[in-house]
Amino acid sequence: MKAKQVFQDMSPYTPGKQIEEVKKEYGLTKIIKLASNENPFGYSNKVKEEIPKMIDHLEIYPDGYAAALRKSLAHKLNVGEKQLIFGCGSDEVVDIICRTYLEKGTNTIMATPSFPQYKHNALIQGAEIVEIPLVNGYHNLPEMLKAVNEQTKVVWLCSPNNPTGSLINKDTLVSFLEKCPSNVMVVLDEAYYEYIETSNDPNSINLLGKYKNLVILRTFSKAYGLANLRVGYGVASEEIATYLNITRGPFNTTSISQMSALTALKDETFLQNTYQENLVNKKAFMSACDKMNLNYYDSEANFLFVQLPTTGDELFEYLLTKGFIVRSGEALGHPNGVRITIGSKEQMDELQSYMRQFLASHKGE
């Protein structure tokens, strides 16, 4: 049976190489995966302790409203409970926004390169895609504003941006919101919010009261380390959240996922340790890149996009043979570089030694 015409030019999401796949292919016993921006420090021990208690009554549907998690998160963020929408990861909330607001005859604006699911889901809904190239890793907000017209329904801002890690600071964000028409939704994707240096925190949640067209996305997959359990959320005006919850499937997050997220939310110590370790190891890696004469984008996330004198695929393939999985820029629409998740100190030290070996072998090419 033939699908929509748009599917003829699309393909399924291609994830990075998986650990067991690389072990088998290269005959390795140890693999360090620094490709998907997962938390190298795992997740809260409190979640691990509580999970065995969560497996009763699997025959019963979960709470579709996620009431306990909703109440706790609303209190933490100081927003109304009806302002929240939960998804199977924040990428499901992206899909829900596209299904609710986009259709043929509308357009949506985004940076490029950025998180690919904005474009992917918008295309499925038949919307026209308007892509504005980054400038030195940052969103070109003036050009994005110029692109807004009567058909524009949604503008996507990924901050910190994936794959560059660059942050839209508060003053710049507010300026954009002031100039953007109030009938155009602005989606601020803050999947890496918990990694932002405290002094640079845009406090975006506080902007929701004034800018009713603003939607903020966050997730438990990154800093909280619950990527496998798939819990993300959106925060918006009550009106927008109501529409999104109409579109949302009735049981899209499981009881185990909800309870794990609730437990993780309460473990501030784990979250703070993750933040500190990432910051220290990231700055050390930046310093190492400086010594290797490698440029990189200023990152407020748990990864660094490193620019190379070769293709990203070349370093990607070389590191695979050494047991490291990173993400080639070619796969992200940004060639001649790699996106590297910040791992533990030991992992990053070992990675740097292999990068130096690689660069030495390509010197003068």
Side-chain angles (χ1 to χ4, degrees):
M1 185 175 292
K2 193 171 183 180
K4 295 178 183 178
Q5 183 60 38
V6 69
F7 282 90
Q8 307 309 311
D9 300 314
M10 298 178 71
S11 58
Y13 173 75
T14 304
K17 280 185 172 285
Q18 299 301 302
I19 290 175
E20 293 306 316
E21 176 188 0
V22 175
K23 279 185 179 179
K24 184 176 180 180
E25 185 175 350
Y26 292 92
L28 299 167
T29 57
K30 183 186 79 169
I31 297 295
I32 297 171
K33 186 184 177 192
L34 301 176
S36 301
N37 304 334
E38 295 144 331
N39 191 334
F41 310 110
Y43 58 95
S44 167
N45 281 328
K46 293 182 180 180
V47 174
K48 189 175 292 187
E49 292 167 4
E50 291 296 317
I51 279 184
K53 306 173 187 177
M54 301 177 186
I55 59 175
D56 289 336
H57 304 298
L58 297 183
E59 76 282 7
I60 297 175
Y61 285 111
D63 173 11
Y65 192 64
L69 177 58
R70 180 180 297 273
K71 182 177 181 179
S72 184
L73 185 59
H75 177 74
K76 180 180 177 68
L77 300 177
N78 194 28
V79 299
E81 293 182 25
K82 292 182 179 180
Q83 290 183 253
L84 295 169
I85 173 174
F86 292 98
C88 181
S90 57
D91 45 351
E92 189 196 16
V93 185
V94 170
D95 178 39
I96 290 170
I97 290 169
C98 290
R99 286 192 283 136
T100 306
Y101 289 95
L102 298 179
E103 59 188 334
K104 188 174 181 180
T106 66
N107 71 55
T108 181
I109 300 168
M110 63 201 68
T112 183
S114 193
F115 185 51
Q117 292 304 297
Y118 312 144
K119 180 177 181 178
H120 181 89
N121 288 298
L123 283 171
I124 291 173
Q125 300 308 319
E128 178 190 354
I129 308 300
V130 180
E131 295 182 290
I132 307 298
L134 299 172
V135 176
N136 297 322
Y138 288 89
H139 285 62
N140 188 342
L141 295 180
E143 289 301 313
M144 294 179 81
L145 278 172
K146 287 181 184 178
V148 173
N149 59 29
E150 291 183 0
Q151 286 72 49
T152 304
K153 293 294 184 181
V154 182
V155 177
W156 305 90
L157 305 179
C158 187
S159 180
N161 184 53
N162 180 6
T164 59
S166 303
L167 179 74
I168 301 172
N169 66 45
K170 184 173 182 177
D171 289 344
T172 304
L173 175 61
V174 169
S175 176
F176 181 87
L177 291 169
E178 284 289 333
K179 297 171 184 174
C180 187
S182 60
N183 64 330
V184 174
M185 177 180 288
V186 177
V187 180
L188 180 65
D189 187 347
E190 294 187 322
Y192 299 93
Y193 171 78
E194 290 80 10
Y195 290 108
I196 298 172
E197 288 196 49
T198 305
S199 60
N200 297 328
D201 185 352
N203 296 308
S204 53
I205 294 290
N206 294 336
L207 301 176
L208 288 167
K210 183 174 181 180
Y211 303 102
K212 302 299 184 182
N213 57 331
L214 176 63
V215 178
I216 297 169
L217 306 184
R218 293 184 184 172
T219 184
F220 287 91
S221 295
K222 304 303 181 182
Y224 286 99
L226 301 182
N228 196 286
L229 292 177
R230 315 304 301 125
V231 185
Y233 60 94
V235 195
S237 69
E238 191 172 318
E239 179 185 9
I240 290 175
T242 298
Y243 288 134
L244 298 180
N245 277 304
I246 291 170
T247 305
R248 175 183 61 81
F251 305 111
N252 63 329
T253 57
T254 69
S255 294
I256 293 175
S257 298
Q258 292 172 28
M259 288 187 283
S260 296
L262 178 59
T263 303
L265 193 65
K266 297 175 181 178
D267 192 349
E268 291 287 348
T269 300
F270 173 81
L271 191 65
Q272 186 60 28
N273 287 343
T274 285
Y275 166 80
Q276 291 291 350
E277 287 289 324
N278 175 77
L279 187 60
V280 169
N281 296 344
K282 181 172 62 177
K283 288 185 180 296
F285 185 46
M286 288 176 171
S287 178
C289 288
D290 290 338
K291 293 175 183 176
M292 289 184 274
N293 295 314
L294 293 175
N295 293 323
Y296 50 85
Y297 294 116
D298 187 24
S299 173
E300 289 279 356
N302 69 330
F303 58 83
L304 198 68
F305 191 96
V306 181
Q307 296 165 291
L308 300 168
T310 66
T311 68
D313 283 350
E314 288 179 83
L315 179 58
F316 165 76
E317 292 289 346
Y318 178 82
L319 290 175
L320 275 181
T321 67
K322 305 299 182 182
F324 279 83
I325 310 175
V326 299
R327 193 72 157 151
S328 170
E330 268 76 8
L332 301 169
H334 197 338
N336 296 102
V338 288
R339 190 191 67 193
I340 300 174
T341 305
I342 304 301
S344 67
K345 181 182 184 304
E346 294 74 22
Q347 291 170 345
M348 300 310 292
D349 287 346
E350 186 177 354
L351 174 74
Q352 291 161 35
S353 69
Y354 291 133
M355 289 178 65
R356 285 191 288 270
Q357 292 175 21
F358 171 83
L359 292 170
S361 68
H362 286 73
K363 193 173 183 179
E365 288 188 5

